[in-house]
Amino acid sequence: MNFDLTDEQRMLQETVGQLAEKQCPVTEIHKSLESGEHDATLWKALSDLGIPGLAISADYGGAALEVLDLAVVAETLGYHATPGPYLGHVLAAHAISLGGSDEQKKRWLPGLASGERIGTVALAEAGSVWEPDQWALSGEGPLSGTKEFVTSADAADVIVVGLAGGQLGVVEKGAAGLTLEPVDCADLTRRANHVRFENTPCEILASGAAASSAVRDVGLSLLAADAFGGSQRLLDMCVEYAKTREQFGVTIGSFQGLKHQLANMAVEVEPNRGLYWFAAYAQDHVPGEAERVAAIAKAHITDRYMQIARDSVEAHGGIGFTWECDVQIWFKRAMFDRAFLGTPSDHRERSVQLAAWAS
């Protein structure tokens, strides 16, 4: 690996960043949080850039790029706290790409590649069970049971469901017995539902059991990328606030205590860039390391994101925790990134076991 992004990847990040800034600046994010509606205009704009199909094979209308390309987009969306179904959509597409038969790919991937159909994944079960080998929902016959914290389920046309034995199945929008229960989720940029099935038809992916762990690891890598982008944005916001907010007749950035705090935040952020790059790169090029480095990246970067969010609230003083202060948007996004697909402690323990360090 040339340990840097290519010119094409930098151009992709710049293009997505410009679109996010234009289509969904912070003022629009506040409106989106209050409305609770899926922003179809923003998704259409991302679809026009080909974002939904970045890693889908060209045979099905995608761009046939790699997980690292998905991750650099995730970093940019995290930087701008862009609302929408990106995470669940690309994981659903990846699951069908890896686990679907040729017939299943032909049926679902073209619509997901164009963005005309939105996908998501239903993985968690009660008790914060995220791991494929612990899923208990049976796929033998119609589904009956519940999956928790399914992002953008209300906008999804296709839900990829984790099943017992690490299998994956697909449930389509409007299927019999499919109901959604909104979750009171802190991060309103990625709304979630509990999804209930009652004798709901489900089509099993032909090679889903072989794909489910890889889908989890891609998800961990994308969450790490989102967390890196969000951390950088919080740091930028704090620096800008320190240069403009005055107290006792001077800008607060002139106070030594705040200078030290901002310097410490910068030191915490920057090393994480290479960590998430390698975690994403490994998914396509270093399969022997892919599972462990994805776990490490998710655990470390989402933990750092949460700490930087706390530091950012302090740096903004009395307004830092209020709804009106933009910091709260990224603070709640950090909470989501830390919890979704398992906590940092869960993945640190897994990484130790994968490295055979545990006795």
Side-chain angles (χ1 to χ4, degrees):
M1 176 185 180
N2 179 10
F3 213 64
D4 197 356
L5 300 181
T6 64
D7 291 341
E8 290 78 10
Q9 287 166 334
R10 293 192 181 282
M11 188 181 303
L12 174 63
Q13 273 197 312
E14 183 179 345
T15 303
V16 173
Q18 289 172 347
L19 184 147
E21 183 63 37
K22 179 181 177 181
Q23 294 279 344
C24 198
V26 175
T27 52
E28 292 300 315
I29 295 175
H30 277 285
K31 292 178 183 177
S32 174
L33 302 187
E34 291 166 358
S35 75
E37 301 290 332
H38 167 62
D39 190 339
T41 302
L42 175 61
W43 183 249
K44 176 68 166 57
L46 288 168
S47 300
D48 289 343
L49 286 181
I51 299 304
L54 277 183
I56 295 175
S57 166
D59 293 339
Y60 306 108
L65 298 182
E66 299 184 345
V67 175
L68 181 56
D69 301 287
L70 295 176
V72 298
V73 172
E75 179 200 327
T76 308
L77 298 180
Y79 184 89
H80 293 278
T82 307
Y86 177 76
L87 175 64
H89 180 89
V90 297
L91 292 182
H94 205 65
I96 295 171
S97 295
L98 292 179
S101 64
D102 290 343
E103 182 181 341
Q104 290 168 331
K105 293 175 186 177
K106 288 176 184 174
R107 188 187 317 166
W108 289 308
L109 289 182
L112 295 176
S114 68
E116 293 174 359
R117 305 186 79 187
I118 295 174
T120 191
V121 290
L123 305 179
E125 297 183 357
S128 297
V129 172
W130 292 96
E131 289 302 306
D133 61 1
Q134 298 175 4
W135 294 332
L137 182 65
S138 175
E140 295 181 1
L143 301 185
S144 288
T146 302
K147 284 288 186 177
E148 299 188 342
F149 306 111
V150 182
T151 58
S152 299
D154 53 347
D157 303 289
V158 176
I159 302 176
V160 175
V161 184
L163 303 170
Q167 293 279 353
L168 296 171
V170 176
V171 173
E172 297 194 70
K173 183 177 183 178
L178 175 65
T179 58
L180 307 180
E181 177 189 341
V183 177
D184 187 15
C185 189
D187 177 18
L188 298 179
T189 65
R190 291 170 292 186
R191 296 175 185 276
N193 286 266
H194 296 325
V195 178
R196 304 191 190 286
F197 308 99
E198 186 171 350
N199 293 318
T200 302
C202 173
E203 181 169 338
I204 304 297
L205 292 181
S207 302
S212 53
S213 293
V215 171
R216 173 204 56 203
D217 294 338
V218 171
L220 297 178
S221 302
L222 297 185
L223 287 167
D226 186 280
F228 175 78
S231 301
Q232 184 63 57
R233 179 59 176 267
L234 285 170
L235 175 59
D236 291 348
M237 291 166 65
C238 288
V239 170
E240 186 61 29
Y241 187 70
K243 292 193 295 186
T244 55
R245 167 71 171 159
E246 292 189 0
Q247 190 64 274
F248 308 118
V250 296
T251 57
I252 61 174
S254 63
F255 300 140
Q256 197 69 11
L258 185 55
K259 287 181 182 178
H260 282 164
Q261 184 174 356
L262 296 179
N264 288 336
M265 291 167 66
V267 170
E268 291 281 357
V269 171
E270 185 56 31
N272 295 333
R273 187 191 306 273
L275 182 55
Y276 102 70
W277 280 357
F278 184 68
Y281 174 83
Q283 304 308 311
D284 289 298
H285 298 284
V286 195
E289 287 287 304
E291 184 174 359
R292 190 173 67 88
V293 295
I296 293 172
K298 149 75 176 183
H300 182 73
I301 302 178
T302 61
D303 240 2
R304 294 302 87 211
Y305 189 12
M306 197 69 250
Q307 184 58 53
I308 288 165
R310 292 191 182 101
D311 293 343
S312 299
V313 170
E314 292 176 5
H316 281 72
I319 68 166
F321 64 89
T322 64
W323 177 265
E324 290 75 14
C325 180
D326 296 339
V327 168
Q328 57 94 7
I329 297 171
W330 281 266
F331 191 106
K332 293 167 183 171
R333 200 159 167 119
M335 293 170 67
F336 177 99
D337 285 351
R338 190 177 187 279
F340 198 75
L341 293 183
T343 64
S345 59
D346 293 336
H347 292 294
R348 286 196 181 93
E349 182 175 346
R350 271 201 328 112
S351 67
V352 166
Q353 293 171 348
L354 290 166
W357 291 340
S359 58

